[in-house]
Amino acid sequence: MKKRWIAMLLCMAMGLSALTGCSGGTDTTQAETAGEAGTQGASGSGDAASAGTAYRVLYSSEVETLNYLTSSSSVEQTVGANVIDTLIEYDNSGDMVPQPGMATEWSYDEASMTWTFKLREGMKWVDHTGTAVADVTAQDFVDALKYVLTPSYDSGTAYIVFDTILNASEYYDGQAGDADAIDFSEVGVKAVDELTLQYTLKKGAPYFLSLLTYVCFMPAYGPQLEEQGAGFATSADTMYYCGAYYIETYEPQVQMVYKKNTSNWDAEHVYIETIQRTYNAEADTIGAEMAKRGEIDYTTLGSDVVDSWMQDPATSNMVSMERPSLDYSYFYCFNFNVKKLNEDCYRDGMEGYSMSDEYEPWNWELAVNNENFRQSLRHAINRISTIYVNTGDNIDPQNFMENTITPAGFAINTQNGQDYTEQPAFADIMANDSYNEELAKQYKETAMTELAAEGVTFPVKVLVRYNPSTTNWEEECIVLEQQLESVLGSDYIDVVVEAGPSTGFLGAVRRASDYMLMLCNWGADYADPETWTDPFYQAANGDGTYNRGSRYAYLAYAIEDNTASAETVKEYFALVEAAKAITDDLEARFAAFAEAEAYLIDHALAVPYGVSVSNFVVSKLNVWEGQSASCGVSNLRYKGQKVYENPISMEEYEAGLAAH
């Protein structure tokens, strides 16, 4: 973890220590967490539970699929993270030094741009009963990648493979009928023998190893993929497992039960034998009281209850925090696509608006393509106020605010030790908070004149959506509505706050582009600034359209529809393409990506927000013991974690913080 981040968090933790107790808390047995636990902390809350202890979890957001090869949702990728192993993995230090996983060694030939991995002998696939059914071989990685590159399976992470593996995009386009088909043998993945795997890159990728803890590079048992096809991983018994756990039971909106995989190559470091996940739509509401009664092991504590818990001697020693993370960045997206709300409509030439007339999407379409309008909203957003909803008086909200999309501390130039956000292109952005009421009003006046001339009627409706199962998000949106309308006036905008579904939110809202302005996030797929361009940059297809992928800001619609923002978006895309082309000079690469990101921000194509706010929690897992990395799915794993007799105290949390 980088020094800047450590210093900030130490200040945060020391400010909290005066409010915390030192003795152990009440025994509990149920929890949900991103996935870390481990050894005893400073205050001695109790020995870790003996092997065989069950870890029971309440959850309120159901997965839509178990298929890790197609999902791009972190909720669903948690499944793959725990039941499928990867070629490399990371330890709990957060230092991002690759450790042997399913591969024991690897090498790179620069001339051929080929990586070669040697797999462990004796690794097994098991079924949903834990019975070994086959050996894990190099071919399983090849077959899994072919599945990812099959258009009909609609993998949400295939774009990563397009960008890195030789002929991957060409094969995909050929299978989709968009280009001449090529044989899969021409794609840069090959099983040299049963235990030797090779990847050939399409370009230099200094970050390639860090990609390998992501779901699209996970293996799957080839014969099962061929048999199941689109039915793969639709239930516990339609997939095989090679990770720390297997899924014994999966009943949607009832329960999911993970069991320790005793056939796993590293089973000795898997300490929790059973993870019982129980669905409850009200988990976030009832969690605190259930934790207090000792009925669950984990719950997040909303800002409305943290103060009372910390001030109550009976509960103060039960409160700790999640491990701070740099693997997610949050930002406000302006939706440039209010005509075509789903993939079925994408590029079909429809002229109407599939968003409901009540939101007047024709008004928004003109408004969002006016830079002065976007700038007025950008400068009217008081990020401190909205982050405060999550932190209250317990943490300084500014500690979680970021002026860039790429978090400070995420990328360090190994050539000169400089943090990416210290690039000259960010000088003004880093020096000034974008919140500026006077500037917001100036942009408003200019925008109103320009938009009125285009036939826009006021106030412009601004649809803001949120997931009701996400703690405090509704409250954040209400604060956002109040501040925007207060600064800019209800004569200019009418912010409409609406809930989306608690299950399948990303598919129903973000991926369906069923919003106008929304707080979005992106998780780093690999350790390089390029990963933070993925929500925004769209590659041209050569036919006047652009690749959608996971680019949920839909910037390319400005070009396709020849709007007022077309040239701005084209310039941003060109800057990204120039940066992507630099693979042999890290200093020049960082500078080029910084120029592109600064352009995105300066032209209000997106508004940086911050990093994940560390929730206050009640947890019997020590967050400092789990795997930790700023990209991939390592943070989602339970491997290496132990269940404690009592919840971790803040003193124990602070001891771990100081050590990391």
Side-chain angles (χ1 to χ4, degrees):
M1 188 174 293
K2 304 300 180 281
K3 292 180 180 178
R4 174 185 180 276
W5 191 244
I6 282 285
M8 178 271 284
L9 288 169
L10 282 172
C11 292
M12 173 192 77
M14 288 187 288
L16 292 169
S17 60
L19 299 175
T20 62
C22 298
S23 61
T26 306
D27 285 346
T28 56
T29 56
Q30 195 167 347
E32 174 151 66
T33 183
E36 295 94 359
T39 58
Q40 185 59 32
S43 66
S45 67
D47 294 333
S50 60
T53 298
Y55 181 64
R56 294 174 295 177
V57 179
L58 282 185
Y59 69 100
S60 60
S61 184
E62 186 60 272
V63 300
E64 292 186 83
T65 178
L66 305 178
N67 191 341
Y68 54 93
L69 296 178
T70 62
S71 176
S72 60
S73 161
S74 61
V75 172
E76 293 159 0
Q77 289 177 0
T78 300
V79 176
N82 286 289
V83 302
I84 304 294
D85 275 350
T86 47
L87 290 168
I88 65 165
E89 57 182 43
Y90 297 103
D91 61 19
N92 68 328
S93 68
D95 291 338
M96 290 290 292
V97 177
Q99 307 291 325
M102 299 182 81
T104 58
E105 59 183 275
W106 48 87
S107 60
Y108 179 60
D109 179 67
E110 187 171 358
S112 63
M113 293 194 292
T114 297
W115 283 92
T116 301
F117 297 86
K118 294 292 185 179
L119 305 188
R120 295 178 186 274
E121 295 184 11
M123 294 186 295
K124 299 292 183 182
W125 289 105
V126 302
D127 64 15
H128 73 292
T129 69
T131 302
V133 294
D135 291 334
V136 177
T137 69
Q139 187 62 38
D140 296 324
F141 289 86
V142 177
D143 292 338
L145 204 67
K146 184 176 182 179
Y147 189 95
V148 169
L149 294 175
T150 299
S152 60
Y153 299 142
D154 194 24
S155 172
T157 57
Y159 68 93
I160 296 174
V161 185
F162 299 163
D163 289 344
T164 54
I165 300 300
L166 181 67
N167 288 330
S169 59
E170 288 81 357
Y171 174 80
Y172 186 95
D173 290 342
Q175 296 301 304
D178 296 333
D180 292 336
I182 66 171
D183 189 78
F184 187 74
S185 63
E186 298 179 62
V187 176
V189 60
K190 181 171 69 172
V192 178
D193 56 43
E194 285 198 349
L195 297 177
T196 306
L197 173 69
Q198 285 187 344
Y199 291 107
T200 301
L201 309 187
K202 70 184 298 182
K203 63 179 182 180
Y207 51 83
F208 182 71
L209 281 180
S210 68
L211 279 173
L212 299 178
T213 58
Y214 204 47
V215 288
C216 51
F217 286 95
M218 287 180 173
Y221 186 53
Q224 187 180 49
L225 288 177
E226 185 175 356
E227 176 187 350
Q228 299 288 349
F232 173 69
T234 54
S235 60
D237 61 353
T238 54
M239 63 187 296
Y240 291 155
Y241 311 90
C242 65
Y245 296 92
Y246 62 88
I247 300 175
E248 180 184 60
T249 304
Y250 172 51
E251 301 174 73
Q253 297 194 338
V254 178
Q255 66 173 338
M256 181 185 293
V257 180
Y258 292 94
K259 299 289 287 188
K260 177 179 176 178
N261 177 10
T262 57
S263 296
N264 182 257
W265 66 272
D266 202 22
E268 64 177 307
H269 293 119
V270 180
Y271 305 115
I272 304 172
E273 298 237 350
T274 302
I275 300 170
Q276 173 71 53
R277 291 171 49 85
T278 303
Y279 179 82
N280 190 313
E282 303 300 321
D284 295 330
T285 302
I286 65 177
E289 285 304 312
M290 291 184 69
K292 188 182 293 186
R293 295 195 300 265
E295 297 172 352
I296 60 174
D297 272 343
Y298 174 94
T299 187
T300 57
L301 296 175
S303 57
D304 56 332
V305 300
V306 171
D307 286 337
S308 62
W309 273 63
M310 285 186 164
Q311 293 168 15
D312 185 347
T315 55
S316 62
N317 55 359
M318 298 173 65
V319 179
S320 61
M321 298 184 73
E322 295 173 334
R323 182 170 182 161
S325 174
L326 295 180
D327 61 345
Y328 271 88
S329 176
Y330 290 77
F331 41 85
Y332 283 103
C333 270
F334 298 102
N335 182 12
F336 287 77
N337 168 31
V338 290
K339 284 185 176 179
K340 314 170 180 87
L341 294 188
N342 55 57
E343 183 65 23
D344 293 334
C345 296
Y346 190 68
R347 302 179 192 149
D348 65 358
M350 67 181 291
E351 295 299 327
Y353 295 90
S354 46
M355 181 176 282
S356 173
D357 285 356
E358 67 179 297
Y359 306 117
E360 301 174 356
W362 49 86
N363 250 357
W364 173 261
E365 183 179 27
L366 292 171
V368 75
N369 280 287
N370 180 286
E371 182 170 329
N372 288 307
F373 178 81
R374 298 194 306 273
Q375 295 282 14
S376 69
L377 269 62
R378 171 195 178 196
H379 292 293
I381 296 174
N382 184 347
R383 296 172 295 166
I384 294 295
S385 296
T386 52
I387 296 175
Y388 184 84
V389 173
N390 284 289
T391 63
D393 293 322
N394 299 296
I395 307 174
D396 183 355
Q398 194 155 352
N399 289 336
F400 292 92
M401 191 173 76
E402 294 283 347
N403 286 358
T404 52
I405 303 295
T406 304
F410 172 81
I412 303 295
N413 185 339
T414 56
Q415 293 178 1
N416 58 19
Q418 184 183 53
D419 186 273
Y420 170 75
T421 60
E422 296 174 353
Q423 289 289 329
F426 291 132
D428 290 340
I429 291 171
M430 296 298 290
N432 300 291
D433 185 355
S434 59
Y435 176 57
N436 185 319
E437 290 191 18
E438 182 178 350
L439 199 54
K441 291 174 181 177
Q442 291 175 9
Y443 278 117
K444 167 193 171 180
E445 295 305 318
T446 304
M448 288 191 78
T449 300
E450 293 174 346
L451 291 174
E454 294 186 58
V456 170
T457 58
F458 297 97
V460 175
K461 291 190 183 328
V462 182
L463 176 62
V464 176
R465 306 294 299 278
Y466 67 91
N467 186 336
S469 70
T470 300
T471 304
N472 297 327
W473 196 357
E474 178 183 8
E475 291 78 6
E476 281 186 66
C477 290
I478 291 172
V479 170
L480 177 68
E481 175 186 14
Q482 293 170 343
Q483 66 183 221
L484 287 178
E485 292 184 353
S486 173
V487 172
L488 297 173
S490 56
D491 62 321
Y492 181 58
I493 54 171
D494 175 15
V495 179
V496 181
V497 175
E498 286 193 3
S502 58
T503 296
F505 177 83
L506 293 183
V509 177
R510 195 174 76 181
R511 296 190 197 117
S513 67
D514 195 11
Y515 71 92
M516 291 175 173
L517 174 69
M518 190 167 71
L519 184 63
C520 296
N521 65 7
W522 184 255
D525 297 328
Y526 46 90
D528 187 84
E530 183 178 342
T531 192
W532 301 104
T533 68
D534 286 338
F536 313 107
Y537 170 73
Q538 296 174 257
N541 292 312
D543 61 356
T545 64
Y546 287 77
N547 174 49
R548 176 180 177 182
S550 296
R551 284 63 169 173
Y552 40 75
Y554 307 102
L555 296 183
Y557 276 97
I559 302 173
E560 292 183 12
D561 295 339
N562 195 29
T563 70
S565 294
E567 293 306 314
T568 300
V569 174
K570 283 181 182 178
E571 178 61 19
Y572 168 67
F573 286 178
L575 290 169
V576 171
E577 287 160 2
K580 287 161 67 79
I582 303 171
T583 61
D584 57 354
D585 184 338
L586 202 59
E587 188 169 351
R589 180 178 175 86
F590 275 33
F593 274 114
E595 185 180 356
E597 184 171 331
Y599 186 91
L600 178 89
I601 297 167
D602 285 337
H603 290 272
L605 295 173
V607 181
Y609 183 74
V611 293
S612 301
V613 173
S614 296
N615 288 320
F616 287 93
V617 298
V618 178
S619 177
K620 289 175 69 177
L621 300 181
N622 186 323
V623 297
W624 302 106
E625 288 290 326
Q627 294 184 11
S628 178
S630 59
C631 57
V633 298
S634 298
N635 295 347
L636 305 177
R637 286 178 164 155
Y638 289 101
K639 177 182 175 179
Q641 303 174 48
K642 303 181 183 75
V643 181
Y644 283 79
E645 287 187 24
N646 303 310
I648 302 300
S649 69
M650 189 63 76
E651 185 176 355
E652 291 171 302
Y653 172 85
E654 291 175 10
L657 177 64
H660 287 76

